[in-house]
Amino acid sequence: MPAAKELDPLRSLSTLAGKMLRNRRRAAGLTQQQLADRIPLSQSMIAGIELGKQVPSAQTAQAIDDAVGAAGELAALWHHVRRGLQQRVLYPVWAHGYLEAEAEATRIQHFANLFPGVTQTEEYARAIFEAANPLFGGDIEEKVEDRMARKVILDRPDPVWFWSILDESALYRVVGSHQVMCAQLTHALELAERPRVTFRILPYDRGMPGGVVSIGAILLLSRPGKNEAVYWESGLNGALLETPSEVGVYRAFYDHLELEVLPPKASTELLRKAREEHHAHCTHH
């Protein structure tokens, strides 16, 4: 069960939705029982929703929204609460802070030996979750669905600036199958055509700053009105760091790493070469 502190943002949002419902219901001249009869629900359920202690299902949320004339505003709030609660279940506790930071970030700088989550195809993500399932468990399809939903940060009207440095091994290590890898590399090449998405490759023959051999994944996040944050993950654990002294170490690492990587054009050519030569039987050319 997540700590109470971690649930505060969701509780606050649920409480806000409840207060809005109460105001809308009263403005419509309805008692709790009258509103409950329209849905239909029990009066106690309506009371719990107004107190922020109950979160309605998608269908019920829309019915309540329609009944009080909220024009989708309440349904949208409850959607965010439900999705947040689902993520608490789908992701380990150390990732919860990152998911919130990712959603509000204006720039993300990534480094790992796997393609980052928001740039993954369904098949690539599913292969990763299937491989991890014996250790971590959980519903694979729910995890895939949620990961695909997170791609909204690349597709919104003002998309995040997303810069990824990939260890060269990410291009060749087979995740799922050669066909899955071909589709993933094709997707990365398509994303790289967008002005705010960049992939750069750290070649095998280049070292990492500080003699680091492997550090898992790191992501540096810039957010409006907040200090830069860094998220690191090694598979079995991770953390979101916001203390300037801690973030500074990872910022220095990333800045030095950028001196070793291939420029964007050469990186794109290596992505294409890996797809055509190493995953030769794919059908996405």
Side-chain angles (χ1 to χ4, degrees):
M1 176 69 70
K5 183 177 180 181
E6 295 171 20
L7 287 173
D8 280 348
L10 294 179
R11 285 177 175 166
S12 297
L13 194 58
S14 185
T15 299
L16 173 63
K19 289 180 179 179
M20 289 176 61
L21 170 59
R22 183 170 60 249
N23 292 337
R24 290 272 187 175
R25 172 180 60 77
R26 289 175 175 173
L30 298 171
T31 65
Q32 288 182 343
Q33 186 61 61
Q34 288 171 331
L35 176 59
D37 291 341
R38 290 189 178 189
I39 304 305
L41 287 174
S42 67
Q43 182 273 330
S44 62
M45 182 66 171
I46 294 295
I49 293 172
E50 289 190 354
L51 290 172
K53 294 181 178 180
Q54 300 281 349
V55 181
S57 67
Q59 183 177 358
T60 300
Q62 190 59 59
I64 294 173
D65 189 288
D66 292 340
V68 298
E73 190 174 8
L74 283 171
L77 280 175
W78 284 317
H79 169 76
H80 287 301
V81 175
R82 286 194 307 275
R83 184 162 183 266
L85 291 172
Q86 182 187 42
Q87 287 181 332
R88 300 291 185 188
V89 175
L90 293 179
Y91 293 90
V93 65
W94 66 76
H96 297 166
Y98 170 73
L99 294 172
E100 294 174 8
E102 178 187 79
E104 64 184 5
T106 56
R107 182 183 68 180
I108 298 177
Q109 293 167 274
H110 161 271
F111 168 68
N113 61 356
L114 289 172
F115 284 89
V118 297
T119 71
Q120 293 174 4
T121 65
E122 283 192 30
E123 294 80 8
Y124 187 91
R126 185 175 291 108
I128 291 173
F129 289 133
E130 286 175 346
N133 196 252
L135 291 176
F136 298 103
D139 189 299
I140 292 173
E141 292 308 312
E142 284 188 358
K143 291 181 179 181
V144 172
E145 182 180 350
D146 188 77
R147 179 156 293 184
M148 295 303 102
R150 285 167 48 202
K151 291 184 175 186
V152 67
I153 65 171
L154 300 178
D155 298 324
R156 64 197 184 197
D158 184 25
V160 66
W161 292 89
F162 199 95
W163 303 334
S164 175
I165 293 178
L166 291 169
D167 186 84
E168 189 174 356
S169 61
L171 281 55
Y172 300 103
R173 186 177 304 282
V174 177
V175 174
S177 68
H178 284 289
Q179 189 68 28
V180 169
M181 287 301 300
C182 177
Q184 177 59 52
L185 290 169
T186 298
H187 183 56
L189 287 165
E190 292 170 351
L191 286 175
E193 295 177 359
R194 301 187 184 188
R196 295 196 181 190
V197 178
T198 301
F199 291 100
R200 298 176 69 186
I201 309 301
L202 176 67
Y204 284 131
D205 61 359
R206 308 279 178 90
M208 279 190 276
V212 178
V213 176
S214 177
I215 59 170
I218 65 167
L219 297 103
L220 292 150
L221 304 106
S222 300
R223 302 164 295 170
K226 296 182 179 180
N227 291 335
E228 186 175 45
V230 62
Y231 175 71
W232 67 266
E233 185 176 274
S234 64
L236 296 176
N237 53 33
L240 181 73
L241 307 174
E242 299 180 271
T243 305
S245 59
E246 293 178 310
V247 173
V249 173
Y250 286 91
R251 164 51 63 195
F253 169 84
Y254 200 92
D255 289 347
H256 282 82
L257 187 65
E258 286 190 308
L259 300 176
E260 301 294 332
V261 300
L262 298 177
K265 185 175 181 180
S267 296
T268 298
E269 289 305 311
L270 189 55
L271 280 165
R272 186 172 288 107
K273 181 180 179 181
R275 183 188 66 176
E276 295 174 354
E277 296 183 2
H278 192 68
H279 311 288
H281 299 295
C282 70
T283 59
H284 291 263
H285 294 229

